[in-house]
């Protein structure tokens, strides 16, 4: 950290502060403590430029699921760079790995899908889906069907469109959301259920309120409903019991496509290959990213059903093309990496490890439930969160001038652990290759950190 070398101007930290604009970073902390500049990684650990090692409790940004030095992924990239280093997917031309990855994704999709469209990120993928829906409805003589429904506290990306679907207050910094972006209830049972209401009852209430919202807006004005199986950047919020079973009939009743944002959940995070399988979701469109390449290449992918693909094809007739795309989307090196990452996850024992260690991970995180300042422990698979509260009985958060989650994350760094503060929650989502001993190390360090910041 920069504080270790206050007078040196040639350190990585000093150079960072002079040149780098950081996203999603607490600027006061950055000024006071300086950045942490990473140098290398091995397995579930990363090492900074001073040689200090950290257990990466968040898999980078949910994505480095097979660790930071997997030789097969490196070799897959090198092999493809040597053979055919770059190409696009425009004008009916495409690389061989792009076709092969499309086939693989359709093979492993949680429900039957028909076509794949590639982007460079999850944000670009969700943005593209909105444009697809708008284009389809325009071509079908339903130009009023432009409204997009997501949920309060959702996260779907950072483009103008996807930030407008992100139900966070900070999007107001950009004058967003844009018109026609609407937010249904956040499915956070602990926070929003009324006294005595069961999870099933809360889910039914969410469904009733969703139907009322659709009817008030006009069903013929709504183009699609976007939902993460588990709200990841919202603070790891799994849906309450019966939630998707309750809302899917409402969407079908009004012919509103369901878009599953599997950017965080996809490829094993919830303990099944897809979050859709964990929660019996039957999407019309599925968006994947992050774990698709195990973090070794920027990529997003959209899988669309036969119905959506056919309607998109009809809509494109007017323009003789789908007038949208990204120069690097479907990049042959990225697709080769993704093919190898999927193989490693499915056939290399990685997904099996998720299934084997997830119960122990949930057992260990569940041990924090008795802490007087942890209001809720929540999670599934290899993801979890601790909701910090000033008053546990009343679920009252700490005051804004006491940023406890940020403090815990900072002290955890000193203790050799990377965890993530989201609001007043601490989130952990380690790589899929983590062992039981490393799970113990993660939670032992987290427990020590919490004791240092807010006591036992």
């Amino acid at each position: 950290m920069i504080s270790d070398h206050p007078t040196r101007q040639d350190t990585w930290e000093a150079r960072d502060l002079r040149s780098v604009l950081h996203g999603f970073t607490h600027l006061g902390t950055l000024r006071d403590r300086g950045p942490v500049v990473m140098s290398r990684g091995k397995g579930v650990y990363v090492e900074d430029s001073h040689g200090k090692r950290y257990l990466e409790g968040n898999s980078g940004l949910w994505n480095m699921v097979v660790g930071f030095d997997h030789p097969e992924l490196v070799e897959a990239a090198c092999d493809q760079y040597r053979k055919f280093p770059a190409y696009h997917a425009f004008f009916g031309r495409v690389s061989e790995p792009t076709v092969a990855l499309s086939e693989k994704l359709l093979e492993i999709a949680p429900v039957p899908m028909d076509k794949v469209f590639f982007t460079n990120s999850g944000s670009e993928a969700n943005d593209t889906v909105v444009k697809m829906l708008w284009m389809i409805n325009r071509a079908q003589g339903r130009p009023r069907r432009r409204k997009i429904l997501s949920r309060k506290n959702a996260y779907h990306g950072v483009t103008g469109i996807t930030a407008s679907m992100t139900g966070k207050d900070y999007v107001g910094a950009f004058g967003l959301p844009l018109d026609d972006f609407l937010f249904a209830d956040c499915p956070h049972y602990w926070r929003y259920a009324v006294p005595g209401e069961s999870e099933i009852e809360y889910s039914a209430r969410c469904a009733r309120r969703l139907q009322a919202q659709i009817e008030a807006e006009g069903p013929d004005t709504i183009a699609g409903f976007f939902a993460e199986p588990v709200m990841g950047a919202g603070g790891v919020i799994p849906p309450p019991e019966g939630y998707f079973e309750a809302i899917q009939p409402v969407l079908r009743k009004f012919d509103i496509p369901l878009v599953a944002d599997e950017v965080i959940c996809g490829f094993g995070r919830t303990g099944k290959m897809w979050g859709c399988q964990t929660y019996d979701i039957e999407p019309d469109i599925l968006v994947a990213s992050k774990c698709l390449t195990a973090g070794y290449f920027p990529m997003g992918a959209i899988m669309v059903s036969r119905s959506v693909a056919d309607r998109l094809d009809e809509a494109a007739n007017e323009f003789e093309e789908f007038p949208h795309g990204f120069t690097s989307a479907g990049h042959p090196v990225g697709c080769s990496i993704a093919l190898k990452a999927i193989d490693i996850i499915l056939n290399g024992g990685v997904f099996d490890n998720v299934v084997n260690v997830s119960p122990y991970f949930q057992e260990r995180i569940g041990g924090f439930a008795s802490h007087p300042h942890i209001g809720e422990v929540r999670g599934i698979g290899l993801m979890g969160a601790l909701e910090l509260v000033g008053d546990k009985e009343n679920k009252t958060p700490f005051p804004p001038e006491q940023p406890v989650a940020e403090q815990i994350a900072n002290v955890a760094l000193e203790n050799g652990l990377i965890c993530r503060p989201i609001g007043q929650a601490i989130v952990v989502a380690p790589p899929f290759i983590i062992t039981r001993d490393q799970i113990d190390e993660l939670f032992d360090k987290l427990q020590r950190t919490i004791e240092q910041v807010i006591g036992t």
Side-chain angles (χ1 to χ4, degrees), residues 222-244:
I222 298 175
F225 181 91
F226 284 70
E228 306 152 90
V230 176
M231 300 177 91
V236 184
I237 301 172
E241 183 181 359
Y243 175 78
F244 281 104

Side-chain angles (χ1 to χ4, degrees), residues 99-109 339 342 346-347:
V99 177
L101 179 58
S102 299
E103 291 173 333
K104 175 56 68 173
L105 288 172
L106 295 176
E107 175 190 328
I108 66 173
L339 283 163
I342 293 170
L346 286 177
N347 304 314

Side-chain angles (χ1 to χ4, degrees), residues 292-316:
L292 173 58
T293 63
Y296 281 61
F297 199 91
M299 181 177 289
I302 302 160
M303 287 180 267
V304 300
S305 67
R306 171 67 62 85
S307 173
V308 172
D310 288 346
R311 285 185 286 168
L312 189 61
D313 187 74
E314 291 173 8

Side-chain angles (χ1 to χ4, degrees), residues 120-286:
N120 302 300
S121 69
S123 292
E124 288 182 359
N126 281 321
D127 186 292
T128 297
V129 171
V130 173
K131 294 176 75 175
M132 288 177 170
L133 294 172
W134 285 346
M135 185 175 176
I136 287 170
N137 283 307
R138 177 187 176 277
Q140 292 186 326
R142 304 188 298 183
R144 295 181 67 240
R145 273 201 181 236
R146 290 185 62 84
K147 294 176 183 176
I148 300 295
L149 265 168
S150 63
R151 299 174 296 175
K152 296 172 184 175
N153 208 28
Y155 182 88
H156 294 293
V158 295
T159 67
I161 285 177
T162 57
S164 293
M165 294 192 287
T166 292
K168 300 280 194 175
D169 291 341
Y170 59 69
V171 303
F174 312 106
L176 299 173
L178 300 168
D179 292 340
D180 292 338
F181 288 84
L182 313 172
F183 299 94
D185 292 321
C186 174
H188 191 175
Y189 172 76
W190 176 82
R191 176 60 69 188
Y192 298 114
V194 299
E197 188 176 38
S198 70
E199 289 193 32
I200 288 285
E201 290 167 338
Y202 177 65
S203 295
R205 178 158 64 92
C206 287
R208 290 193 301 271
R209 284 173 56 84
L210 175 62
Q211 176 161 334
Q213 185 178 16
I214 291 170
E215 290 172 340
E217 293 291 336
D220 61 343
T221 69
I222 298 175
F225 181 91
F226 284 70
E228 306 152 90
V230 176
M231 300 177 91
V236 184
I237 301 172
E241 183 181 359
Y243 175 78
F244 281 104
E245 291 89 336
I247 69 164
Q248 286 184 107
V250 175
L251 299 173
R252 285 193 288 267
K253 176 180 179 180
F254 295 112
D255 191 27
I256 297 172
L258 172 58
V259 183
D261 182 343
E262 289 261 16
V263 169
I264 285 175
C265 296
F267 301 98
R269 178 62 68 185
T270 64
K272 293 191 177 180
M273 190 64 178
W274 300 98
C276 288
Q277 294 168 323
T278 303
Y279 296 108
D280 296 322
I281 305 169
E282 297 183 359
D284 301 281
I285 301 172
L286 185 149

Side-chain angles (χ1 to χ4, degrees), residues 45-68:
Y45 299 95
V46 291
E47 188 176 302
D48 69 21
S49 55
H50 302 289
K52 181 172 180 177
R53 192 173 79 154
Y54 308 82
L55 195 162
E56 229 307 350
N58 286 104
S59 307
L61 271 177
W62 311 89
N63 56 343
M64 302 296 295
V65 291
V66 300
F68 292 85

